[in-house]
Structure formats: structure tokens, C-alpha cells
């Protein structure tokens, strides 16, 4: 695991109050992944919107989240909803 190459997974309850935790995880991924500040802020905003949609779903009780970073992109998947940004050179 390094700032330019990591993957981690977590499962959270499907409860709207968990949205803040998900955006916090996205923010930490941006910081650890050394993502440009403006690009990172947009990523966190988009993750917040995706989290709100996912947590409002009537799907099963748990929400599965996968965060991955590689030299080309940072991605956060919430069930089937994927938010991704491409790194700038």
C-alpha cells in the first residue's frame, strides 16, 4: 500500500446518518492519495451525493464501499454507484 496504489473495503449500515462517515473516508483517500485540492474537493462533493442516494435506497441493510487509487484514478464505489476522478499530471 502506498499513496499511489491502495484499495480498501468497508461495510456500513444503510443509515442516512452514515453519510458524513463516507464523505470523511473520501476526504482521507484524497489526502492520502495526494490528489490535487480542487479535484479532491469535487470528488468528495460527488461522493457525498452518491452516498445520499445509496443510503436512501431500500436495498439490504448494509452498504458496501470500495476505495481504490492507482496512478491514473481515484475511485470510490458504493454498491453499484461509482465515483471516479482521473489524476492530473
Amino acid at each position: 500500500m502506498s499513496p499511489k496504489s491502495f484499495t480498501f473495503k468497508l461495510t456500513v449500515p444503510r443509515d442516512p446518518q452514515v453519510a458524513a462517515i463516507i464523505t470523511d473516508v473520501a476526504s482521507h483517500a484524497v489526502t492520502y492519495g495526494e490528489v490535487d485540492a480542487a479535484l479532491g474537493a469535487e470528488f468528495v462533493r460527488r461522493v457525498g451525493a452518491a452516498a445520499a442516494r445509496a443510503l436512501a435506497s431500500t436495498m439490504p441493510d448494509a452498504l458496501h464501499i470500495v476505495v481504490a487509487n492507482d496512478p491514473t484514478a481515484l475511485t470510490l464505489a458504493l454498491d453499484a454507484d461509482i465515483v471516479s476522478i482521473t489524476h492530473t499530471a
Side-chain angles (χ1 to χ4, degrees):
M1 187 166 109
S2 73
K4 297 299 178 193
S5 179
F6 63 84
T7 299
F8 63 92
K9 301 173 185 179
L10 64 147
T11 302
V12 297
R14 198 175 296 272
D15 178 337
Q17 295 179 5
V18 175
I21 294 169
I22 297 170
T23 56
D24 194 40
V25 166
S27 180
H28 284 292
V30 163
T31 301
Y32 183 70
E34 302 170 345
V35 174
D36 171 78
L39 193 58
E42 175 63 13
F43 178 76
V44 172
R45 185 197 65 74
R46 290 175 46 213
V47 165
R53 287 189 304 273
L55 293 169
S57 171
T58 58
M59 299 281 285
D61 293 342
L63 176 63
H64 302 285
I65 301 167
V66 178
V67 182
N69 193 41
D70 64 35
T72 60
L74 174 63
T75 303
L76 190 143
L78 301 113
D79 289 338
D81 199 350
I82 297 171
V83 177
S84 184
I85 55 167
T86 302
H87 296 297
T88 56

